[in-house]
Amino acid sequence: MDAKKYIYKFSEGNAKMKELLGGKGAGLAEMTSIGLPVPPGFTITTEACNEYYSNKKQFPEGLADSIADHIRDLEKETGKVFGGKDNPLLVSVRSGAVFSMPGMMDTVLNLGLTKETVEGLAHLTDNPRFAYDSYRRFIQMFGGVVLRMEHHEFEDILESWKKKQGVTLDMEMTADSLKNVADEYLKLVQERVGRPFPQDPKEQLFMAVEAVFSSWNNQRAITYRKINKIPDHLGTGVNIQSMVFGNMGNDCGTGVAFTRNPSNGNNELYGEYLLNAQGEDVVAGIRTPHPIADMKEDMPEIYTEFQKICHKLEEHYKDVQDIEFTIERSKLFILQTRSGKRTANAAVKIAHDFVAEGILSKEEAILRVEPDQINQIMHRRIDPDAHVEVLAKGLPASPGAASGKVVFDADQAEKQAADGTKVILVRPETTPDDIHGMVAAQGILTSRGGMTSHAAVVARGMGKPCISGCEEVKISLAAKEFTARGKTVRVGDIITIDGTTGQVSLGEAPMIDPVLTPEFIEILQWADDLRNLGVRANADTPDDARKARELGAAGIGLCRTEHMFFAADRLPVVQEMIMAETVEERRAALGRLLPFQQEDFEGILSAMDGLPVTIRLLDPPLHEFLPNLEELAVEITTLKLQDGNPAKIRELEALQRKARALAEFNPMLGLRGCRLGIIYPEVYRMQIRAILQATVRLLKKGSNPMPEIMIPLVGHEEELRINRDMVLDVVQEIEEETGIHCDYPIGTMIELPRACLVADEIARYADFFSFGTNDLTQTTFGFSRDDAEGKFLHRYVDDKILDNNPFAVLDRKGVGKLVETGVSLGRKQRPELKVGICGEHGGDPNSVEFCHLVGLDYVSCSPFRVPIARLAAAHAAINH
């Protein structure tokens, strides 16, 4: 039986072998295969790393011999000898996981240098300074990376010798000084490690390979994998490559360059280089590198060759490349290339330009722009180069960033904003009473609540940044201050919130404004031509509707009518309606609300003229419109102690009694949704009338309103039948009053597991289904979202009990199975049934892909996530 192959020469591999060779190894192999000037070498496979761990941290059988064989092949190819005194072969050792991982082992350069080979290198190059500079660098890197010594101890020795010689830069040191530095480094290793620095190149190499394997499970790498959801079983490759030197004189150099500008996407070489330097000098900040454009003057022939290689790499990889190169004795070598990281705006411009240049098709260009990147484009964000002092971290409830003075109550927010002051509203949690302050504030920060809390939902609808559930922030409303991580922030202090990351920072951070470039708009148009899924928006106001249409929404998939009741001029009337003792009193209050509702619906339907608008009838429990019981008790007690107005006290006590009567042990599963329409039909009748009267009014103006009436929280077919009959009853009234025919779809929101399982029965009375995946996730998992996200869900994700937060990424195995069942049963009963989702999952790329796969007609999300959904739907269509 043949021995297992653990090692591949660069000339034996290719880019498709990434899982076996790691990203770096596959890249080196691919560059070699297309004829680039790559220093020869070989890669130890990821399988060898995994077997090292299976074998109780011992090399797998045959690996050591195979390494030795490949070193001999490298000696033949280069004409140099590993450990040779006259013409020594030196190698670099680099880790190379399947995915780029900053937590992995740093590179070791110049491996193979010893007290003897350094003399040979000095003689060979006739440059003792270069030889001893390479040797001291090697000892320092090997000591830090392999022997795990403290970097600063080596630096201290180096600095002391620079002072002795009276110089400031490494490159100014003499050969003698560098030789003395190397000797002191060797003594330091003996002291700290308790054994001499290895002087056998073979031993050095085996130790370095083992250090790479070990780095796969260092704490940095484990943490990085957890954050980025990279599997633990992949292992890392080890790349061993013959050294080329950029520090042998002024005909040598080293640098890093992007084939295009990664900041703005412009078609220009972007990067830096240094003459007479090794690779780490460019990134270490010891010397100031030169812009890559200067190489045109310093080394014109090399620059021309490098330009051609950049063009060849872009055409081959069909992507922007991040390239590391070295020039040795006027010969250019390419050490590494990989896809270059870029900003969202750059990603869009580059993808668009590549289509114009014939490098990519439109489909390929769309796939190059990640939907999640669009968040960077759609919202103001903190300048990535800015330094911020992070105070706390909460839930990233609504994307974007904002700075402002801290205020702790809505009235102050409104007052200060009216004076032109930018404020951040900080509350334990928000209620409908705070809406005027939320409108006035630049952003909202709450210490309680989850991603569907009042603060989160309202902020997303407004397009304002919000951080919710930030439990690190301890708020004292009485003292008008909060504390976090040992710092106290008082009213009037400036903070910055980043609703995309959930970070709260001290002071005002510099911002970058969103820009919708022509390239971005055109790529979204390409996406629209390719996607099968429609994209609608969740919008509750005419302004939201206009913004949604501007961002490409093909209608409104969810208009939450309860949000229309939260306005300051309406809330007292809503409370009056709730407090009513008789049906007549309730109808009187509803009669006062009807014009408000009709005006809102008219504005929204007008903004969406010619496009469907799904209007959900009132959903939340009625007690949500009443003041908090604790706050009421405090207010009543305070008034009594101050001998306050008896009439006011009686009014508040009546409010308190009603709030207690309506209070529920579990409001989410209480008197809400369609149940409200059955118990208090007059509430729904008012809303239906407002919708239809707004529609008729617009029809008379020559507009084309397209309302769809949605009954929420249906779990039984009879619930929908009763409410549907109510809608049809009001429709008949309006037709008789106006003489105008009103035939609009009536459907339901599917947000209970039972509804999914009996969807064929419910579909008898539904023209459409809209899956409310937020509540469906809560009722499927038995999680209260606000409690789960604030208390334990992050631990579930960290410990990999769950792959993702199911409120952010739709749970395909559970919730998804119910959605699939609901779609199948519903369309079995009614083949023409239109089906969408309207939870925030509608703006999550992974969830959008699922919706494509199960054949939904549309997704609906907040207006600012519409472009993300458009792009994600195109990705799904292309990929499947």
Side-chain angles (χ1 to χ4, degrees), residues 91 110 114 154 224 249 333 353 367 590 630 635 751 761 826 843:
V91 297
N110 307 329
T114 65
F154 293 105
Y224 186 85
F333 290 94
D353 288 354
L367 292 177
L590 288 167
E630 289 178 26
E635 192 175 352
E751 45 200 321
E761 297 176 5

Side-chain angles (χ1 to χ4, degrees), residues 424-437:
I424 302 291
L425 180 61
V426 180
R427 301 282 296 159
E429 59 195 343
T430 61
T431 69
D433 289 334
D434 295 317
I435 193 75
H436 56 298

